[in-house]
Amino acid sequence: MDYAAAYAAWQADPEAFWAAAAEGITWERRWDRVFDPASGAFGRWFPGAALNTCANCLDRHVAAGRGEQAALIWDSPLAGQTVRFTYRALRDRTARVAGALARLGVARGDMVVIYMPMVPEAVIAMLACARLGAVHSVVFGGFAAPELAKRIEHARPRAVVSASCGLEPGRVIAYKPMLDAAIALSAHKPEACLILQREAVRAALVPGRDHDFAEAEAAAAPHAPVPIAATDPLYVLYTSGTTGQPKGVVRDAGGHAVALHNSMRMIYGVGAGDVFWAASDVGWVVGHSYIVYAPLLAGCTSILYEGKPVGTPDAGAFWRVCAAHGVRVLFAAPTALRAIKQQDPEGARIAAHDLSRFEALYLAGERCDPPTAIWAAEKLGRPVVDHWWQTETGWPITAGFRAYGLFPPKPGSGGGPCPGDDVQALDDAGTVLPRGGNGHLAIRLPLPPGAAPTLWEDDAGYRAAYLVDFPGWYRTGDGGVIDADGDVWVMGRTDDVINVAGHRLSTGAIEEVLASHADVAECAVVGAHDALKGQVPLGFFVLKAGVARPGAAIADELVALVRARIGPIAAFRTALPVPRLPKTRSGKILRGSLRRLADGQDPAPPPTIDDPAALAEVATVVRQHGA
Ligand code: COA
Ligand code: AMP
């Protein structure tokens, strides 16, 4: 079937499309209805059905005779180790860790926060929660203690799984002190912590609360999978919204399993026995979906890589991993490709490896600039597919589809809408724009299986964030164009979310940190274009009247404060003192104008501006800084 026919088949009968896809999952109980439009914010998928996602990822492959196939290969240039786990071994370890969590009191429906580096035990902990019917919430290791504390306080976990340390090039990051600090900051205290002791740094355990991961695993009996309702949550993943409070994106178990399993063949063209690598981190949605759940649901071998695209040890790292493990499809962030291209522009390190088994490169996390996509396609001699999605959707909204022959998309475009998504560009009033019109990208409701049905304990917040602006539509927060061929060009966020090296951050969260400084009267943070990271945050601040200390000293303190409160991944390096911020007559900061200034443009004052001189003053500061 070609893409147009497949898309038309979905449009003609969405429920039949998803019912057929659902046959790829092993159900404990089949659904009463494929879709119930009357429940939830836009309807619910597979009500009445029951399943266990961990059993679908592990046990059923062992039962089908794939027990000796590799399920997970941990390749860590930072630890100097490569470890291969068969499906049987991964199932057995996961079952025991589930037993260990159960002994700590974790049961179906309980929340578990996972704060771990890229070690196999992170994947095992996620799957162990799924096995128990518990809800996991993974927090990316690059977040500092106060960000972890926010998530612990909101999620209220019964237990936390963490590790003594993570490894970054040239330094060891002690995770446990950050966990201890986060628990101290949080009003909610977990009853138990399961701590993986890594060799590089061992952690002190708090008696009565902390338990050694290895000892607890060894002492536990394997736990059987606990079926849960398809509409029950599998996990919550906090992501940056427009305010300092992250949004707890909920993933329901049934639709997620169906959509992710289906996506592996439909989009990436891989199935059981194929080696698939998502070079992301388990702390992000790409890691959840395409390091852990989708490849294992499909019976693939998934690579878990603890390293960087460059510097561990060089810009050939990705190609070494692909060659060593026979990767067929690689999924990476454009920023990683830019880092590689910068250090190996001729692609000499690509040519040095045997990539005969390598078939395609998929990119997401930010728009891939066409020169990078073209460079990669040329040097690799393979299709490069940019595809667009978000934490909320859980799997791609648009893509190139290996199963249907639409492949690869034009450089700069994110490809065609996935069967399951009716994507349109809307004007400010919510009217569908004709092809070629630049507007708000929105998905017609209902969202497909796998997309977030709500935010954790915040149905009202979900509706407010995504559904109220354009009734009948899901507002993606991205702006863009749909061209004459129906391909979607995502041009960037229309809100205060920025993407720094493939990491989603909120300028609002950074502003909260700047505003907390005793000498800062007001501030604004915008995303500035960066050749490597796509965007980096740039801060502007106004000192309180009477502050005699120089702005530069306070700027240094602000940079340190953001690193301590949000984490190093914010890559916040520049805060500029300005006499005042440009505002509208109603007092709103003109962030759009600041954004353009940050990108080196010279924006004309908008008609709503209160005092054009304020914009000119900031422009002078930016020019002086750049000079
Ligand atoms: N734990 C603790 N610290 C972490 C961390 C983690 N898990 N991950 C990153 N950091 C730190 C880094 O050590 C660095 O600290 P520094 O400021 O002291 O140097 C900082 O956070 C920024 O890290 P990073 O974003 O990795 O930037 P970089 O300049 O070191 O490397 C790239 C640039 C492009 C190589 C890197 O950003 C990269 O590989 N990006 C791809 C990200 C990705 O795959 N995202 C997928 C999402 S889909
Ligand atoms: P996250 O939720 O961290 O996956 O970030 C989602 C956001 O990243 C989207 O809303 C987009 O702004 C951006 N994004 C992800 N993939 C792409 C892509 N292929 N093209 C353009 N933007 C993208």
Side-chain angles (χ1 to χ4, degrees):
M1 197 187 293
D2 68 5
Y3 168 72
Y7 193 80
W10 163 73
Q11 269 184 317
D13 193 346
E15 292 194 21
F17 181 92
W18 289 116
E23 297 302 336
I25 295 303
T26 303
W27 301 91
E28 196 65 30
R29 184 183 185 281
R30 288 173 72 84
W31 48 92
D32 297 328
R33 299 176 67 176
V34 174
F35 182 68
D36 173 12
S39 52
F42 59 81
R44 297 302 302 262
W45 291 99
F46 305 107
L51 77 163
N52 182 277
T53 300
C54 175
N56 271 278
C57 286
L58 301 176
D59 303 60
R60 67 171 177 157
H61 300 308
V62 178
R66 312 189 72 83
E68 302 320 309
Q69 184 204 304
L72 188 72
I73 298 174
W74 179 52
D75 185 313
S76 173
L78 287 167
Q81 271 180 288
T82 298
V83 182
R84 181 178 178 274
F85 296 84
T86 62
Y87 268 97
R88 188 184 310 284
L90 196 62
R91 188 225 22 210
D92 291 350
R93 284 205 62 189
T94 300
R96 274 193 193 281
V97 172
L101 285 170
R103 279 178 64 169
L104 296 177
V106 175
R108 179 179 170 179
D110 286 340
M111 176 68 78
V112 177
V113 161
I114 300 174
Y115 181 61
M116 293 195 95
M118 288 286 282
V119 290
E121 286 76 7
V123 177
I124 290 170
M126 291 166 76
L127 291 166
C129 291
R131 194 169 190 87
L132 291 173
V135 183
H136 63 67
S137 185
V138 181
V139 179
F140 175 59
F143 280 124
E147 284 295 311
L148 176 59
K150 276 184 197 170
R151 289 155 174 82
I152 290 177
E153 189 152 306
H154 193 261
R156 298 194 309 278
R158 183 174 287 270
V160 175
V161 185
S162 188
S164 56
C165 67
L167 307 178
E168 281 289 295
R171 66 196 171 113
V172 176
I173 317 268
Y175 273 42
K176 182 60 174 24
M178 285 196 273
L179 172 63
D180 291 341
I183 293 175
L185 283 171
S186 162
H188 172 85
K189 312 289 178 196
E191 290 163 26
C193 298
L194 199 53
I195 307 296
L196 177 77
Q197 296 282 17
R198 298 189 80 187
E199 306 249 318
V201 166
R202 292 184 73 80
L205 301 186
V206 175
R209 187 197 74 186
D210 297 348
H211 304 264
D212 180 275
F213 191 110
E215 285 172 13
E217 181 183 343
H223 203 292
V226 177
I228 61 172
T231 49
D232 280 347
L234 173 71
Y235 70 76
V236 173
L237 177 57
Y238 287 89
T239 191
S240 299
T242 52
T243 67
Q245 185 58 41
K247 294 195 263 197
V249 170
V250 174
R251 194 78 59 214
D252 55 355
H256 172 258
V258 170
L260 263 63
H261 178 268
N262 182 65
S263 73
M264 290 304 277
R265 181 65 70 198
M266 178 173 83
I267 298 174
Y268 307 102
V270 292
D274 291 333
V275 183
F276 183 87
W277 177 23
S280 177
D281 187 288
V282 290
W284 305 108
V285 69
V286 175
H288 279 63
S289 293
Y290 291 107
I291 295 174
V292 184
Y293 288 111
L296 297 179
L297 284 165
C300 295
T301 299
S302 180
I303 309 288
L304 181 74
Y305 176 68
E306 190 186 34
K308 301 274 175 177
V310 292
T312 57
D314 54 41
F318 274 21
W319 322 123
R320 174 195 62 79
V321 172
C322 287
H325 306 302
V327 171
R328 287 185 65 184
V329 172
L330 167 63
F331 182 155
T335 185
L337 266 289
R338 285 196 295 270
I340 294 171
K341 180 176 148 214
Q342 212 174 56
Q343 295 198 7
D344 183 22
E346 300 309 320
R349 293 188 188 278
I350 297 178
H353 292 281
D354 172 12
L355 296 181
S356 53
R357 287 172 289 179
F358 183 65
E359 294 174 357
L361 170 64
Y362 280 74
L363 298 171
E366 53 171 321
R367 176 170 182 264
C368 186
D369 50 298
T372 299
I374 292 165
W375 174 85
E378 222 174 79
K379 300 297 176 204
L380 285 164
R382 303 289 191 282
V384 172
V385 183
D386 189 5
H387 62 332
W388 168 53
W389 53 301
Q390 344 181 282
T391 305
E392 289 85 345
T393 66
W395 62 285
I397 307 164
T398 67
F401 305 86
R402 294 189 74 200
Y404 304 141
L406 173 78
F407 174 55
K410 302 159 193 139
S413 121
C418 293
D421 291 289
D422 178 355
V423 184
Q424 301 291 343
L426 308 182
D427 67 14
D428 289 345
T431 308
V432 174
L433 290 166
R435 292 280 163 94
N438 195 339
H440 306 272
L441 293 174
I443 305 169
R444 196 187 300 275
L445 297 176
L447 290 171
T454 189
L455 295 176
W456 186 239
E457 296 180 340
D458 191 11
D459 288 340
Y462 180 85
R463 288 174 211 268
Y466 307 109
L467 307 184
V468 294
D469 284 357
F470 304 119
W473 298 85
Y474 165 85
R475 189 184 67 87
T476 65
D478 282 304
V481 174
I482 304 181
D483 70 16
D485 300 326
D487 288 338
V488 181
W489 297 69
V490 183
M491 305 316 289
R493 297 286 306 196
T494 54
D495 56 15
D496 296 329
V497 168
I498 57 172
N499 247 293
V500 180
H503 305 139
R504 175 164 160 182
L505 295 167
S506 157
T507 54
I510 302 174
E511 283 175 5
E512 275 184 21
V513 176
L514 303 196
S516 73
H517 190 288
D519 293 340
V520 170
E522 57 177 350
C523 63
V525 175
V526 296
H529 175 75
D530 182 83
L532 175 66
K533 299 195 176 194
Q535 282 184 303
V536 289
L538 173 64
F540 299 95
F541 65 98
V542 179
L543 289 174
K544 282 183 182 161
V547 173
R549 296 170 61 219
I554 291 163
D556 289 346
E557 289 170 13
L558 295 177
V559 167
L561 206 57
V562 171
R563 193 174 170 93
R565 297 253 186 99
I566 294 184
I569 45 141
F572 183 73
R573 303 210 195 287
T574 312
L576 299 175
V578 292
R580 56 205 168 125
L581 290 167
K583 293 187 182 164
T584 62
R585 280 187 284 278
S586 59
K588 259 181 88 176
I589 294 171
L590 286 163
R591 285 194 169 69
S593 303
L594 290 176
R595 227 174 279 140
R596 282 188 281 282
L597 278 178
D599 281 344
Q601 299 166 25
D602 203 359
T608 51
I609 197 165
D610 180 35
D611 179 0
L615 185 60
E617 286 162 9
V618 177
T620 306
V621 171
V622 171
R623 263 196 305 276
Q624 280 166 352
H625 171 74

mmCIF file of all heavy atoms in Angstrom, residues 27-53:
data_model
loop_
_atom_site.group_PDB
_atom_site.id
_atom_site.type_symbol
_atom_site.label_atom_id
_atom_site.label_comp_id
_atom_site.label_asym_id
_atom_site.label_seq_id
_atom_site.Cartn_x
_atom_site.Cartn_y
_atom_site.Cartn_z
ATOM 1 N N TRP A 27 -3.310 -8.969 24.597
ATOM 2 C CA TRP A 27 -4.231 -8.382 25.576
ATOM 3 C C TRP A 27 -4.625 -9.408 26.627
ATOM 4 O O TRP A 27 -4.827 -10.584 26.316
ATOM 5 C CB TRP A 27 -5.500 -7.865 24.879
ATOM 6 C CG TRP A 27 -5.207 -6.831 23.836
ATOM 7 C CD1 TRP A 27 -4.973 -7.039 22.509
ATOM 8 C CD2 TRP A 27 -5.083 -5.414 24.040
ATOM 9 N NE1 TRP A 27 -4.704 -5.844 21.860
ATOM 10 C CE2 TRP A 27 -4.778 -4.827 22.787
ATOM 11 C CE3 TRP A 27 -5.199 -4.579 25.152
ATOM 12 C CZ2 TRP A 27 -4.588 -3.453 22.617
ATOM 13 C CZ3 TRP A 27 -5.022 -3.209 24.988
ATOM 14 C CH2 TRP A 27 -4.719 -2.663 23.727
ATOM 15 N N GLU A 28 -4.765 -8.958 27.817
ATOM 16 C CA GLU A 28 -5.297 -9.810 28.879
ATOM 17 C C GLU A 28 -6.818 -9.894 28.700
ATOM 18 O O GLU A 28 -7.437 -10.908 28.950
ATOM 19 C CB GLU A 28 -4.953 -9.138 30.223
ATOM 20 C CG GLU A 28 -5.073 -10.002 31.427
ATOM 21 C CD GLU A 28 -4.084 -11.161 31.433
ATOM 22 O OE1 GLU A 28 -2.984 -11.016 30.871
ATOM 23 O OE2 GLU A 28 -4.454 -12.219 31.984
ATOM 24 N N ARG A 29 -7.392 -8.787 28.273
ATOM 25 C CA ARG A 29 -8.819 -8.723 27.964
ATOM 26 C C ARG A 29 -8.976 -7.774 26.795
ATOM 27 O O ARG A 29 -8.322 -6.718 26.778
ATOM 28 C CB ARG A 29 -9.578 -8.170 29.187
ATOM 29 C CG ARG A 29 -11.064 -8.135 29.027
ATOM 30 C CD ARG A 29 -11.752 -7.502 30.248
ATOM 31 N NE ARG A 29 -13.195 -7.596 30.114
ATOM 32 C CZ ARG A 29 -13.935 -6.779 29.351
ATOM 33 N NH1 ARG A 29 -13.375 -5.799 28.679
ATOM 34 N NH2 ARG A 29 -15.245 -6.949 29.265
ATOM 35 N N ARG A 30 -9.787 -8.129 25.809
ATOM 36 C CA ARG A 30 -9.957 -7.253 24.648
ATOM 37 C C ARG A 30 -10.912 -6.101 24.982
ATOM 38 O O ARG A 30 -11.621 -6.134 25.971
ATOM 39 C CB ARG A 30 -10.446 -8.066 23.444
ATOM 40 C CG ARG A 30 -9.313 -8.957 22.893
ATOM 41 C CD ARG A 30 -9.800 -9.894 21.830
ATOM 42 N NE ARG A 30 -10.108 -9.206 20.577
ATOM 43 C CZ ARG A 30 -9.208 -8.900 19.642
ATOM 44 N NH1 ARG A 30 -7.934 -9.182 19.816
ATOM 45 N NH2 ARG A 30 -9.573 -8.305 18.526
ATOM 46 N N TRP A 31 -10.908 -5.111 24.156
ATOM 47 C CA TRP A 31 -11.653 -3.882 24.401
ATOM 48 C C TRP A 31 -13.165 -4.070 24.201
ATOM 49 O O TRP A 31 -13.595 -4.929 23.436
ATOM 50 C CB TRP A 31 -11.145 -2.784 23.468
ATOM 51 C CG TRP A 31 -11.030 -3.231 22.024
ATOM 52 C CD1 TRP A 31 -11.966 -3.133 21.043
ATOM 53 C CD2 TRP A 31 -9.907 -3.889 21.413
ATOM 54 N NE1 TRP A 31 -11.492 -3.674 19.861
ATOM 55 C CE2 TRP A 31 -10.237 -4.147 20.056
ATOM 56 C CE3 TRP A 31 -8.645 -4.295 21.887
ATOM 57 C CZ2 TRP A 31 -9.356 -4.786 19.169
ATOM 58 C CZ3 TRP A 31 -7.776 -4.929 21.000
ATOM 59 C CH2 TRP A 31 -8.135 -5.163 19.657
ATOM 60 N N ASP A 32 -13.929 -3.237 24.879
ATOM 61 C CA ASP A 32 -15.374 -3.195 24.634
ATOM 62 C C ASP A 32 -15.641 -2.382 23.369
ATOM 63 O O ASP A 32 -16.512 -2.716 22.570
ATOM 64 C CB ASP A 32 -16.105 -2.535 25.808
ATOM 65 C CG ASP A 32 -15.932 -3.343 27.092
ATOM 66 O OD1 ASP A 32 -15.830 -4.585 26.988
ATOM 67 O OD2 ASP A 32 -15.865 -2.732 28.175
ATOM 68 N N ARG A 33 -14.900 -1.287 23.236
ATOM 69 C CA ARG A 33 -15.000 -0.435 22.051
ATOM 70 C C ARG A 33 -13.589 0.021 21.703
ATOM 71 O O ARG A 33 -12.761 0.212 22.592
ATOM 72 C CB ARG A 33 -15.816 0.834 22.348
ATOM 73 C CG ARG A 33 -17.231 0.582 22.765
ATOM 74 C CD ARG A 33 -17.916 1.886 23.124
ATOM 75 N NE ARG A 33 -18.062 2.725 21.923
ATOM 76 C CZ ARG A 33 -18.708 3.898 21.923
ATOM 77 N NH1 ARG A 33 -19.220 4.358 23.050
ATOM 78 N NH2 ARG A 33 -18.824 4.599 20.827
ATOM 79 N N VAL A 34 -13.335 0.230 20.411
ATOM 80 C CA VAL A 34 -12.009 0.743 20.035
ATOM 81 C C VAL A 34 -11.855 2.154 20.596
ATOM 82 O O VAL A 34 -10.805 2.518 21.132
ATOM 83 C CB VAL A 34 -11.841 0.746 18.500
ATOM 84 C CG1 VAL A 34 -10.526 1.410 18.104
ATOM 85 C CG2 VAL A 34 -11.894 -0.675 17.956
ATOM 86 N N PHE A 35 -12.915 2.952 20.478
ATOM 87 C CA PHE A 35 -12.828 4.350 20.905
ATOM 88 C C PHE A 35 -14.146 4.773 21.520
ATOM 89 O O PHE A 35 -15.211 4.498 20.961
ATOM 90 C CB PHE A 35 -12.510 5.228 19.682
ATOM 91 C CG PHE A 35 -12.346 6.677 20.012
ATOM 92 C CD1 PHE A 35 -11.269 7.109 20.772
ATOM 93 C CD2 PHE A 35 -13.264 7.622 19.577
ATOM 94 C CE1 PHE A 35 -11.098 8.456 21.091
ATOM 95 C CE2 PHE A 35 -13.107 8.971 19.882
ATOM 96 C CZ PHE A 35 -12.024 9.385 20.647
ATOM 97 N N ASP A 36 -14.061 5.425 22.665
ATOM 98 C CA ASP A 36 -15.269 5.947 23.304
ATOM 99 C C ASP A 36 -15.198 7.473 23.269
ATOM 100 O O ASP A 36 -14.441 8.077 24.049
ATOM 101 C CB ASP A 36 -15.339 5.441 24.749
ATOM 102 C CG ASP A 36 -16.489 6.092 25.505
ATOM 103 O OD1 ASP A 36 -17.343 6.748 24.857
ATOM 104 O OD2 ASP A 36 -16.525 5.949 26.742
ATOM 105 N N PRO A 37 -15.972 8.099 22.378
ATOM 106 C CA PRO A 37 -15.852 9.553 22.243
ATOM 107 C C PRO A 37 -16.407 10.307 23.446
ATOM 108 O O PRO A 37 -16.130 11.504 23.606
ATOM 109 C CB PRO A 37 -16.686 9.865 20.985
ATOM 110 C CG PRO A 37 -17.610 8.708 20.813
ATOM 111 C CD PRO A 37 -16.970 7.517 21.465
ATOM 112 N N ALA A 38 -17.161 9.609 24.314
ATOM 113 C CA ALA A 38 -17.867 10.331 25.387
ATOM 114 C C ALA A 38 -17.020 10.517 26.640
ATOM 115 O O ALA A 38 -17.375 11.307 27.503
ATOM 116 C CB ALA A 38 -19.145 9.575 25.738
ATOM 117 N N SER A 39 -15.904 9.789 26.767
ATOM 118 C CA SER A 39 -15.156 9.960 28.026
ATOM 119 C C SER A 39 -13.857 10.727 27.787
ATOM 120 O O SER A 39 -13.374 10.833 26.653
ATOM 121 C CB SER A 39 -14.875 8.595 28.669
ATOM 122 O OG SER A 39 -14.291 7.742 27.740
ATOM 123 N N GLY A 40 -13.325 11.256 28.871
ATOM 124 C CA GLY A 40 -12.061 11.989 28.781
ATOM 125 C C GLY A 40 -12.212 13.321 28.072
ATOM 126 O O GLY A 40 -13.312 13.748 27.725
ATOM 127 N N ALA A 41 -11.048 13.957 27.841
ATOM 128 C CA ALA A 41 -11.068 15.300 27.254
ATOM 129 C C ALA A 41 -11.459 15.275 25.783
ATOM 130 O O ALA A 41 -12.031 16.224 25.261
ATOM 131 C CB ALA A 41 -9.693 15.935 27.415
ATOM 132 N N PHE A 42 -11.130 14.185 25.087
ATOM 133 C CA PHE A 42 -11.496 14.078 23.666
ATOM 134 C C PHE A 42 -11.920 12.672 23.302
ATOM 135 O O PHE A 42 -12.021 12.324 22.123
ATOM 136 C CB PHE A 42 -10.314 14.497 22.773
ATOM 137 C CG PHE A 42 -9.068 13.655 22.984
ATOM 138 C CD1 PHE A 42 -8.929 12.419 22.375
ATOM 139 C CD2 PHE A 42 -8.047 14.094 23.806
ATOM 140 C CE1 PHE A 42 -7.795 11.630 22.583
ATOM 141 C CE2 PHE A 42 -6.908 13.318 24.017
ATOM 142 C CZ PHE A 42 -6.796 12.085 23.402
ATOM 143 N N GLY A 43 -12.185 11.811 24.342
ATOM 144 C CA GLY A 43 -12.478 10.406 24.096
ATOM 145 C C GLY A 43 -11.342 9.548 24.628
ATOM 146 O O GLY A 43 -10.276 10.069 24.958
ATOM 147 N N ARG A 44 -11.601 8.223 24.755
ATOM 148 C CA ARG A 44 -10.558 7.313 25.247
ATOM 149 C C ARG A 44 -10.449 6.113 24.322
ATOM 150 O O ARG A 44 -11.456 5.628 23.806
ATOM 151 C CB ARG A 44 -10.872 6.821 26.674
ATOM 152 C CG ARG A 44 -10.930 7.899 27.747
ATOM 153 C CD ARG A 44 -9.669 8.713 27.899
ATOM 154 N NE ARG A 44 -8.475 7.962 28.204
ATOM 155 C CZ ARG A 44 -7.958 7.803 29.431
ATOM 156 N NH1 ARG A 44 -8.534 8.333 30.476
ATOM 157 N NH2 ARG A 44 -6.844 7.110 29.599
ATOM 158 N N TRP A 45 -9.207 5.640 24.150
ATOM 159 C CA TRP A 45 -8.945 4.495 23.275
ATOM 160 C C TRP A 45 -8.980 3.186 24.058
ATOM 161 O O TRP A 45 -8.463 3.102 25.155
ATOM 162 C CB TRP A 45 -7.576 4.658 22.597
ATOM 163 C CG TRP A 45 -7.570 5.780 21.592
ATOM 164 C CD1 TRP A 45 -7.109 7.050 21.779
ATOM 165 C CD2 TRP A 45 -8.085 5.730 20.245
ATOM 166 N NE1 TRP A 45 -7.302 7.792 20.645
ATOM 167 C CE2 TRP A 45 -7.886 7.014 19.683
ATOM 168 C CE3 TRP A 45 -8.684 4.741 19.468
ATOM 169 C CZ2 TRP A 45 -8.271 7.325 18.374
ATOM 170 C CZ3 TRP A 45 -9.068 5.048 18.174
ATOM 171 C CH2 TRP A 45 -8.857 6.322 17.645
ATOM 172 N N PHE A 46 -9.577 2.193 23.466
ATOM 173 C CA PHE A 46 -9.611 0.817 23.957
ATOM 174 C C PHE A 46 -10.193 0.663 25.373
ATOM 175 O O PHE A 46 -9.632 -0.073 26.196
ATOM 176 C CB PHE A 46 -8.207 0.183 23.872
ATOM 177 C CG PHE A 46 -7.626 0.266 22.478
ATOM 178 C CD1 PHE A 46 -6.586 1.150 22.190
ATOM 179 C CD2 PHE A 46 -8.132 -0.511 21.445
ATOM 180 C CE1 PHE A 46 -6.072 1.256 20.908
ATOM 181 C CE2 PHE A 46 -7.625 -0.417 20.157
ATOM 182 C CZ PHE A 46 -6.596 0.469 19.885
ATOM 183 N N PRO A 47 -11.308 1.341 25.695
ATOM 184 C CA PRO A 47 -11.888 1.137 27.025
ATOM 185 C C PRO A 47 -12.345 -0.313 27.182
ATOM 186 O O PRO A 47 -12.790 -0.948 26.215
ATOM 187 C CB PRO A 47 -13.076 2.112 27.044
ATOM 188 C CG PRO A 47 -13.398 2.380 25.618
ATOM 189 C CD PRO A 47 -12.098 2.277 24.871
ATOM 190 N N GLY A 48 -12.202 -0.801 28.386
ATOM 191 C CA GLY A 48 -12.607 -2.189 28.675
ATOM 192 C C GLY A 48 -11.471 -3.179 28.514
ATOM 193 O O GLY A 48 -11.520 -4.286 29.033
ATOM 194 N N ALA A 49 -10.419 -2.790 27.787
ATOM 195 C CA ALA A 49 -9.310 -3.718 27.559
ATOM 196 C C ALA A 49 -8.358 -3.714 28.748
ATOM 197 O O ALA A 49 -8.313 -2.745 29.519
ATOM 198 C CB ALA A 49 -8.554 -3.328 26.298
ATOM 199 N N ALA A 50 -7.604 -4.809 28.895
ATOM 200 C CA ALA A 50 -6.574 -4.892 29.935
ATOM 201 C C ALA A 50 -5.321 -5.511 29.324
ATOM 202 O O ALA A 50 -5.409 -6.361 28.420
ATOM 203 C CB ALA A 50 -7.067 -5.718 31.113
ATOM 204 N N LEU A 51 -4.181 -5.064 29.803
ATOM 205 C CA LEU A 51 -2.907 -5.590 29.285
ATOM 206 C C LEU A 51 -1.818 -5.310 30.305
ATOM 207 O O LEU A 51 -2.014 -4.556 31.258
ATOM 208 C CB LEU A 51 -2.540 -4.922 27.958
ATOM 209 C CG LEU A 51 -1.961 -3.492 28.009
ATOM 210 C CD1 LEU A 51 -1.271 -3.165 26.692
ATOM 211 C CD2 LEU A 51 -3.029 -2.473 28.347
ATOM 212 N N ASN A 52 -0.652 -5.910 30.081
ATOM 213 C CA ASN A 52 0.533 -5.489 30.818
ATOM 214 C C ASN A 52 1.619 -5.154 29.800
ATOM 215 O O ASN A 52 2.006 -5.998 28.988
ATOM 216 C CB ASN A 52 1.016 -6.570 31.792
ATOM 217 C CG ASN A 52 2.219 -6.075 32.579
ATOM 218 O OD1 ASN A 52 3.353 -6.136 32.102
ATOM 219 N ND2 ASN A 52 1.978 -5.525 33.755
ATOM 220 N N THR A 53 2.074 -3.915 29.838
ATOM 221 C CA THR A 53 3.022 -3.453 28.826
ATOM 222 C C THR A 53 4.364 -4.166 28.954
ATOM 223 O O THR A 53 4.997 -4.504 27.945
ATOM 224 C CB THR A 53 3.195 -1.921 28.935
ATOM 225 O OG1 THR A 53 1.900 -1.326 28.722
ATOM 226 C CG2 THR A 53 4.161 -1.386 27.906
#
